[in-house]
Amino acid sequence: MTKIDMHAHFLPPITEAQAAKLDADNAPWLDIAADGETGQIMKGSQPFRPVYKALWDPAMRLEEMNKHGVDVQIISATPIMFGYEFAPERAASWAEQMNDLALEHCAANPRRLKALAQVPLQDLDMACREASRAKASGLVGVQIGNHLGPRDLDDEHLVQFLIHCANEGIPILAHPWDMMTDGRMKKWMLPWLVAMPAETQLGILSLILSGAFERIPASLKLCFAHGGGSFAFLLGRVDNAWRCRDIVRQDCPHPPSSYVKRFYVDSAVFDAGALRLLVEVMGADRVMLGSDYPFPLGEPSIGKLVAENPWLSEPDKEKISALNAREFFSLQD
């Protein structure tokens, strides 16, 4: 069975000096260990996350793709690379540089490696311009964060970016980042385990309940990472609120569950029962294989959850494993 992993990350071997051109105190860079096998993502002078060679080395990535039986992998920026907090002009230059480095990474095997762009989302014109430039350069879509500071996806600035991508035929992966926390979720990776799924649900519901989907062309190809977070499990609660409370209905003319046809999710839910629920809610046509490779919270054996799910038919497994992503990103055979 063909496998297209549409949610995988990279970070090029950016030096501290290169990062300082964006911001000396907070820009990300890669501190590679002397053996070249492991490293540390740095944020200025502060360690951010331990990583290993597959994050920056395409040869190792391809080797591990072979191990997992992955035919095509679509890479996107590690979210710390977004640069939304920096001055737009510097962020635009940074995004262009990172997108060119993503293409260099994929040049190791352009048939099997594809890339999503990042954009300076804090400036609408610059973001639209870079999204279009990246598409023309060969990137197959754009990855954005699920919010821009305090502004969620229903913010007019972000809605206009989504409209631009719809009109230009640019697919979007919305990825949670900069998770909400007031310090209560300070241990045991709770920001990743609690706030990250909530961030994704917040992004989806902000588009549904605000009425933004009424204004965004239906042609928009939009996917939410991590199985849509907590959206599928709590959709019944949202529909019930829509039926019972006019404040929930005031900007949303249709039941929230009717909007699942407007977006996709990936399969990174790590449990057979959860995947069954996800497919029942979204439909097999709206779920794509995603692993979150090469991070520890990713799927250990890429595609196994889909391939061995007892509730999925063989045609549905084929859709989720490859066919949906091939159509979503307009990939050639």
Side-chain angles (χ1 to χ4, degrees), residues 91-305:
S93 177
W94 171 261
E96 181 174 347
Q97 180 185 7
M98 294 305 106
N99 293 338
D100 290 345
L101 289 172
L103 285 174
E104 287 185 19
H105 190 97
C106 294
N109 191 325
R111 184 182 63 82
R112 299 186 64 192
L113 296 176
K114 310 290 182 181
L116 303 180
Q118 65 182 80
V119 296
L121 199 57
Q122 60 269 58
D123 184 285
L124 178 60
D125 290 340
M126 291 181 180
C128 292
R129 188 159 54 245
E130 180 56 22
S132 296
R133 186 200 75 87
K135 179 188 177 187
S137 298
L139 286 92
V140 298
V142 170
Q143 179 190 219
I144 63 171
N146 70 297
H147 66 102
L148 184 63
R151 294 185 281 180
D152 292 308
L153 290 177
D154 63 308
D155 182 86
E156 185 61 23
H157 174 104
L158 299 179
V159 168
Q160 288 302 316
F161 179 75
L162 297 180
I163 291 173
H164 171 82
C165 289
N167 291 336
E168 295 286 319
I170 301 171
I172 294 177
L173 172 63
H175 194 289
W177 79 295
D178 193 26
M179 286 81 75
M180 61 181 94
T181 177
D182 60 3
R184 291 166 60 214
M185 295 182 284
K186 55 187 177 295
K187 293 176 65 177
W188 315 298
M189 292 197 76
L190 284 177
W192 280 263
L193 302 179
V194 176
M196 185 170 274
E199 285 285 0
T200 305
Q201 184 190 20
L202 177 58
I204 296 171
L205 290 184
S206 69
L207 288 172
I208 293 174
L209 298 181
S210 70
F213 273 135
E214 306 303 318
R215 299 189 294 112
I216 297 170
S219 60
L220 177 67
K221 292 180 177 180
L222 173 63
C223 179
F224 287 90
H226 305 148
S230 45
F231 173 79
F233 186 78
L234 296 176
L235 182 55
R237 178 180 178 87
V238 180
D239 267 359
N240 183 62
W242 185 88
R243 289 190 295 268
C244 296
R245 296 296 304 273
D246 55 2
I247 192 173
V248 180
R249 293 190 301 272
Q250 66 181 12
D251 299 311
C252 181
H254 308 291
S257 57
S258 69
Y259 290 88
V260 297
K261 64 182 181 294
R262 295 298 307 273
F263 59 93
Y264 294 68
V265 296
D266 73 14
S267 65
V269 294
F270 313 105
D271 177 84
L275 182 60
R276 180 186 187 184
L277 172 65
L278 187 64
V279 173
E280 287 176 348
V281 169
M282 298 297 304
D285 293 338
R286 296 275 162 174
V287 182
M288 297 184 282
L289 175 62
S291 69
D292 210 7
Y293 172 94
F295 295 131
L297 286 185
E299 186 176 14
S301 181
I302 299 174
K304 182 177 180 180
L305 181 65

Side-chain angles (χ1 to χ4, degrees), residues 11 18 23 34 42 64 78 103 126 183 256 294 302 313 317:
L11 198 154
Q18 288 174 308
D23 186 278
M42 304 292 292
E64 295 201 341
T78 302
L103 285 174
M126 291 181 180
I302 299 174
S313 68
K317 290 178 182 179

